[in-house]
């Protein structure tokens, strides 16, 4: 467990360092916008793609909070700065932005993201990190705050917010409760107000990291145990009506994505974990979108080492949702 904790702490520090570097080079200074960028030339964790029908444009964002746009998924233009946070809020003047998502709803566009204020500490030196939602009239932003100053308890480290409207007709924010704080990461839900300007009620647990049969880490005595990490939930429904959820953890030191299915067909579950990961090793934090010609795709990131540094970059996979269970197909080399 000590070795495992060291690995995760080292990984978290690496991600933090990369994000801080991105802030200095890209957020505090206007980024240089480039055109005709191949997908695999973009460095990006947690890639999210909105296929916006009104503009017939694909919009991609993720960790770092920037935006790229494309007409064909092959060539991209960006990055653009789109988030305008309140410097007087708990986020501070220059929050780190993680795992941003874009959702269109009732004529508006919503920016679900995790914001970190390094100046605020929550016990044992943990930086305040929480999910929040911004709004815009346009997919390209700017995205600005709404009414409520917080969406989740201020003393709870949360991340990787996403959106799902359940069978009760209500919208919900799904999120992870950080394993660094509870030592067994969770995926939870909380009801959103109809205009997404805040939340109502209390969070409800859906499942824990330890429920996974495929994730692994080492105990102090060298024996295996389930991994602590929950990351990147994404809810979907197959064409047969089966409700599923992608989510990511680790198999020892390999980032890996699994899937669970709800027996009840609602967010309340119970959620039954598949025995094996759904994607190849070294891929995680995936989401699904449908292209303008109707093809289902998974946007996901992978890793490679460049001059001793871990670089994260987006990839696309073919996906088949015609049955009760999602089937991931081949990786698309050029993004088509």
């Amino acid at each position: 467990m000590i070795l495992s904790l060291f690995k995760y702490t080292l990984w978290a520090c690496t991600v933090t360092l990369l994000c801080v570097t991105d802030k200095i080079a890209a957020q505090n200074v206007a980024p240089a916008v480039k055109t005709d960028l191949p997908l695999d030339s973009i460095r990006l964790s947690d890639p999210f793609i909105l296929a916006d029908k009104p503009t017939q444009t694909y919009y991609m964002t993720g960790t770092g909070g920037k935006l790229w746009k494309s007409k064909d998924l092959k060539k991209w233009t960006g990055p653009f700065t789109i988030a305008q946070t309140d410097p007087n809020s708990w986020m501070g003047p220059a929050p780190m932005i993680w795992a941003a998502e874009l959702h269109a709803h009732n004529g508006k566009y919503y920016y679900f993201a995790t914001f970190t204020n390094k100046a605020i500490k929550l016990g044992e030196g943990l930086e305040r990190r929480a999910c929040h939602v911004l709004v815009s009239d346009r997919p390209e932003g700017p995205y600005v705050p709404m009414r409520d100053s917080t969406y989740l308890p201020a003393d709870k480290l949360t991340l990787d917010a996403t959106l799902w409207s359940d069978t009760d007709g209500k919208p919900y924010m799904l999120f992870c409760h950080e394993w660094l704080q509870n030592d067994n990461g969770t995926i939870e839900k909380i009801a959103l107000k109809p205009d997404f300007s805040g939340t109502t009620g209390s969070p409800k647990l859906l499942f824990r990291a330890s429920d996974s049969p495929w994730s692994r880490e080492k105990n102090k005595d060298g024996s295996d145990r389930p991994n602590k990490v929950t990351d990147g939930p994404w809810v979907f429904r197959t064409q047969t009506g089966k409700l599923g959820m992608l989510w990511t953890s680790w198999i020892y030191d390999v980032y890996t994505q699994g899937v669970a299915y709800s027996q009840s067909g609602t967010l309340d579950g119970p959620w039954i974990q598949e025995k094996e990961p759904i994607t190849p090793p070294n891929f995680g934090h995936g989401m699904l979108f449908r292209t303008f010609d109707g093809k289902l795709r998974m946007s996901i990131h992978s890793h490679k080492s460049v001059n001793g540094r871990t670089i994260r970059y987006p990839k696309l996979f073919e996906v088949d949702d015609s049955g009760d269970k999602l089937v991931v197909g081949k990786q698309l080399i050029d993004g088509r």
Side-chain angles (χ1 to χ4, degrees):
M1 182 182 295
I2 293 175
L3 178 59
S4 180
L5 180 60
F6 172 75
K7 287 181 178 179
Y8 296 138
T9 303
L10 181 61
W11 167 75
C13 290
T14 301
V15 172
T16 299
L17 178 60
L18 289 173
C19 288
V20 169
T21 301
D22 288 343
K23 287 291 172 185
I24 295 172
Q27 182 160 315
N28 294 337
V29 177
V33 174
K34 298 181 180 179
T35 60
D36 295 329
L37 291 168
L39 184 65
D40 62 4
S41 72
I42 298 172
R43 296 183 178 185
L44 182 66
S45 299
D46 316 325
F48 180 98
I49 296 177
L50 170 68
D52 186 57
K53 290 184 179 179
T55 61
Q56 289 291 292
T57 302
Y58 299 102
Y59 295 96
M60 181 171 67
T61 186
T63 288
K66 303 302 182 186
L67 181 78
W68 289 260
K69 57 185 180 179
S70 173
K71 291 293 186 179
D72 59 7
L73 295 175
K74 294 187 296 181
K75 300 295 183 181
W76 296 81
T77 298
F80 302 95
T81 299
I82 58 172
Q84 294 183 0
T85 56
D86 179 3
N88 297 314
S89 72
W90 68 265
M91 298 179 192
M96 296 164 60
I97 302 176
W98 308 65
E101 296 188 0
L102 304 179
H103 294 275
H105 182 76
N106 288 344
K108 297 280 189 179
Y109 294 86
Y110 295 91
Y111 185 92
F112 283 61
T114 306
F115 299 88
T116 298
N117 186 341
K118 295 173 67 65
I120 299 178
K121 300 297 191 292
L122 298 178
E124 298 183 359
L126 297 174
E127 298 158 353
R128 183 170 180 186
R129 182 182 305 161
C131 303
H132 203 85
V133 182
L134 308 179
V135 66
S136 178
D137 293 324
R138 303 167 59 246
E140 297 184 32
Y143 290 86
V144 299
M146 287 184 280
R147 183 171 59 251
D148 288 10
S149 59
T150 59
Y151 280 70
L152 293 161
D155 61 349
K156 190 171 184 175
L157 290 181
T158 59
L159 70 159
D160 293 355
T162 192
L163 171 67
W164 184 256
S165 293
D166 210 1
T167 54
D168 59 7
K170 297 179 181 178
Y172 290 88
M173 174 191 285
L174 280 82
F175 63 91
C176 300
H177 183 191
E178 178 66 81
W179 69 274
L180 288 167
Q181 190 176 50
N182 63 17
D183 202 44
N184 189 1
T186 67
I187 293 179
E188 305 180 24
K189 73 167 188 176
I190 190 169
L192 285 163
K193 295 179 179 179
D195 64 354
F196 301 173
S197 64
T199 58
T200 62
S202 300
K204 178 179 179 179
L205 174 69
L206 302 185
F207 60 83
R208 303 179 186 276
S210 58
D211 294 337
S212 166
W214 52 264
S215 69
R216 293 286 184 273
E217 65 180 39
K218 292 292 186 182
N219 283 311
K220 187 177 180 179
D221 63 4
S223 60
D224 280 6
R225 56 157 282 173
N227 198 278
K228 304 181 184 73
V229 176
T230 51
D231 185 88
W234 176 261
V235 183
F236 63 91
R237 197 176 292 279
T238 70
Q239 294 183 41
T240 64
K242 191 77 170 180
L243 188 69
M245 187 191 306
L246 300 171
W247 69 286
T248 301
S249 189
W250 295 76
I251 298 179
Y252 307 121
D253 59 349
V254 179
Y255 199 53
T256 307
Q257 181 172 254
V259 64
Y261 292 95
S262 170
Q263 281 192 326
S264 68
T266 73
L267 288 179
D268 290 330
W271 289 91
I272 308 302
Q273 305 290 333
E274 290 289 278
K275 293 182 179 180
E276 300 294 335
I278 194 170
T279 49
N282 195 32
F283 288 91
H285 204 113
M287 57 82 60
L288 304 174
F289 70 97
R290 206 165 286 278
T291 63
F292 297 128
D293 58 357
K295 297 173 183 176
L296 189 62
R297 296 289 184 255
M298 177 184 289
S299 176
I300 196 168
H301 78 251
S302 190
H303 309 72
K304 61 182 177 182
S305 180
V306 179
N307 297 325
R309 294 184 60 194
T310 298
I311 303 300
R312 295 166 177 85
Y313 53 104
K315 289 291 183 181
L316 297 180
F317 279 86
E318 292 182 340
V319 184
D320 180 5
D321 68 342
S322 61
D324 278 347
K325 294 187 177 181
L326 208 65
V327 177
V328 178
K330 68 178 182 180
Q331 183 183 155
L332 301 173
I333 303 302
D334 61 2
R336 288 182 295 183

